[in-house]
Amino acid sequence: MNTGKNIDLNEDAIIQIRNVYKSFGTIEAVNNVSLDVHRGEVVVIIGPSGSGKSTLLRCINHLENIDKGSVVVDGIPLSSKANINKVRAEVGMVFQQFNLFPHLSVLENVMISQRVVRKRSFAEAERIALDLLEKVGIPDKAANYPGQLSGGQQQRVAIARALAMQPKIMLFDEPTSALDPEMIKEVLDVMLDLAKEGMTMAVVSHEMGFVRAAADRIVFMDHGWVIEETTPYDLFENPKEERTRQFLSKILH
Amino acid sequence: MVDKPGSTKGKAIPINWNKIPWWAVIVAAIFLFIINAVITNPSYLDTLSFLSGYTMWITRGAVTGVVLTIVITIVAYVITLVIGLIMGLARLSKNPIIYTIATLYVEIARGVPMLVLLLYVSFVGIPMVISWTNSLGAAMLTWTWLPGFLHGFAQALVDYNIRNVSEIVRGVIGLSIGYGAYSAEVFRAGIQSIEKGQMEAARSLGMSYFQAMRFIILPQAIRRILPPLGNDFIALLKDSSLVSALSVQELTMLGRQNVARTFRTFETWNMVALLYLIMTFALSFLVRQIERRMSIEHR
């Protein structure tokens, strides 16, 4: 699929995952996975539940401590505490359960990291936050608390909160899985806008509409292994692996 | 105008006798009885004047009685909160040394009766620490390489005598150590009750562990642990009576002295109990107000 974007494949990849292993007890969640994501690329990771896709995503900003292998983000290896905090400031993350801060208003949710981590002035942080709330379509909810918002609105605030750090990369961990069906579109629309603007994105999702419209590359995972890495066109038209075909037949009805 | 059926206009509103808080009525009656006694009976007035610390303040300029009880309680509570927060965080530490030290402290301090803990801290713990600092100061004075500006400090360490530590200070330290262990567990439970996703979201925004604690986790945790922390405050107020065992002239000690002074056992202990009751009632009212305000401000 041609999104009209210029992705320079010769440049060093902004996310470089090399031979990463991660296990929880006896369960091997991520098995020898290597993956590159280039600047401006949208990579969607799919796979059955328990296939390690979320764990892989969480390895990128070190929410999971990897057992073996290496992760380099924007030239910074995730090796020391200082580096991890540096990488996290450049990588935005959106969670399945939103994880908004319930004791802070919507505006404060979007401001807090700007004030604490970026050390911006109150006025500047507020201006950026209001712009972002406008962008995700809920400027009128700035003074509300997260508990007063619908799921779709909460997830859009969560996206605005992550964007407030002006990240180079956005990670989406099943952003629409906890939403009622009629709210999925409002969140996907915001994600599509981001993709169009050229944001580098790694997305764990089974929204095939989003995959068709925005994905540059699909990674299919099962039991912690990357089974297939392909383009959306090839995924739907001629998946190479039998396991991929089985999975697709289940989710495409 | 014709009254509609069911309207209460013009009729007495029926009283539901089961819903009246009889305990409060009885407490109010006791209050009124004693207030009346204080006004009409000079021996009650004298008892109140002595127990409140007024007499001692006038005759000797010493802070005693109710005032001293309040001061001891507040100071000990502030230190308790600091110890509780630090030890609560330490109990959650992944560092095995920090975790072990904090757990050891909590288990020992909770396992010893408060009165024994107070006596131990006052007459064993603090003297031991002072003797250590004395010998540290003496050792420092023999170090030829010690920078000049530290000589005064070393000398002060040597000169510091156990007699310089008043019973009040010992009592406050003892109470703080005991209650610090209880509140450490309260803080730990409160922090653990906040969903894991909150810390992950904060960390994923680039905050350090301590920034995430300070701005995201603790503000939510403190709202949840306010009721048990308030209980600790009230319990601490009551247990401050134990420092009378260290001859600190707080309310309970003055009660004993008043009995020895006047032989008015009945009046004295009536008054002591009443004064504690007033303080605990006021405190629990205050705690309830703070809780209510916090729950209105943030849902």
Side-chain angles (χ1 to χ4, degrees), chain B residues 10 31 155 180 213 263 274 284 293:
Chain B
F31 274 22
Q155 191 59 51
M213 269 294 161
F263 300 108
L274 182 81
S284 64
R293 234 190 57 198

Side-chain angles (χ1 to χ4, degrees), chain A residues 5-252:
Chain A
K5 282 190 294 195
N6 263 328
I7 297 164
D8 186 357
L9 294 177
N10 295 322
E11 189 194 19
D12 278 348
I14 192 164
I15 303 175
Q16 301 173 357
I17 301 172
R18 294 282 178 277
N19 309 99
V20 164
Y21 289 82
K22 171 72 192 175
S23 56
F24 300 104
T26 55
I27 301 154
E28 302 195 333
V30 175
N31 258 322
N32 193 15
V33 170
S34 295
L35 181 69
D36 277 358
V37 179
H38 289 84
R39 212 173 284 276
E41 209 176 7
V42 177
V43 173
V44 177
I45 307 167
I46 60 173
S49 75
S51 61
K53 49 198 194 309
S54 284
T55 307
L56 178 63
L57 200 68
R58 292 158 59 86
C59 288
I60 296 174
N61 65 353
H62 206 265
L63 284 183
E64 299 294 352
N65 201 350
I66 61 175
D67 297 339
K68 246 199 286 181
S70 74
V71 177
V72 179
V73 179
D74 200 22
I76 306 168
L78 283 178
S79 48
S80 69
K81 252 188 187 171
N83 277 3
I84 288 165
N85 280 343
K86 232 183 277 173
V87 164
R88 281 174 175 162
E90 305 302 330
V91 178
M93 185 152 194
V94 175
F95 300 87
Q96 183 177 358
Q97 299 297 338
F98 327 134
N99 293 346
L100 290 181
F101 306 134
H103 63 302
L104 300 177
S105 72
V106 165
L107 186 67
E108 289 164 338
N109 262 279
V110 185
M111 284 172 68
I112 182 101
S113 64
Q114 302 188 59
R115 299 276 291 143
V116 173
V117 183
R118 290 274 190 249
K119 311 282 183 207
R120 288 179 189 145
S121 71
F122 184 91
E124 191 191 2
E126 190 182 37
R127 184 178 53 74
I128 292 173
L130 287 172
D131 283 353
L132 284 168
L133 289 177
E134 184 85 47
K135 181 184 170 129
V136 300
I138 36 175
D140 50 320
K141 300 286 182 197
N144 288 54
Y145 282 84
Q148 302 166 313
L149 269 55
S150 75
Q153 289 170 334
Q154 288 194 47
Q155 193 60 298
R156 285 186 283 158
V157 173
I159 295 174
R161 178 178 71 177
L163 290 175
M165 291 291 287
Q166 284 151 346
K168 295 176 175 150
I169 301 161
M170 285 286 282
L171 309 177
F172 290 86
D173 188 5
E174 308 207 28
T176 56
S177 301
L179 295 177
D180 291 337
E182 72 265 32
M183 289 168 188
I184 290 175
K185 187 172 178 300
E186 63 190 53
V187 171
L188 288 182
D189 284 347
V190 172
M191 290 170 63
L192 282 173
D193 284 346
L194 270 183
K196 270 184 212 137
E197 287 167 18
M199 176 64 79
T200 308
M201 293 162 70
V203 182
V204 170
S205 178
H206 291 150
E207 294 299 332
M208 287 303 148
F210 178 80
V211 170
R212 280 204 181 86
D216 297 303
R217 203 143 46 94
I218 308 286
V219 175
F220 175 67
M221 284 184 75
D222 194 14
H223 290 107
W225 302 91
V226 170
I227 306 288
E228 192 164 349
E229 214 183 305
T230 178
T231 62
Y233 179 84
D234 285 338
L235 179 81
F236 293 121
E237 300 306 322
N238 48 0
K240 276 180 245 126
E241 302 292 331
E242 176 57 28
R243 185 72 194 85
T244 315
R245 234 168 291 164
Q246 279 174 7
F247 177 73
L248 282 176
S249 71
K250 274 180 206 147
I251 64 164
L252 290 178

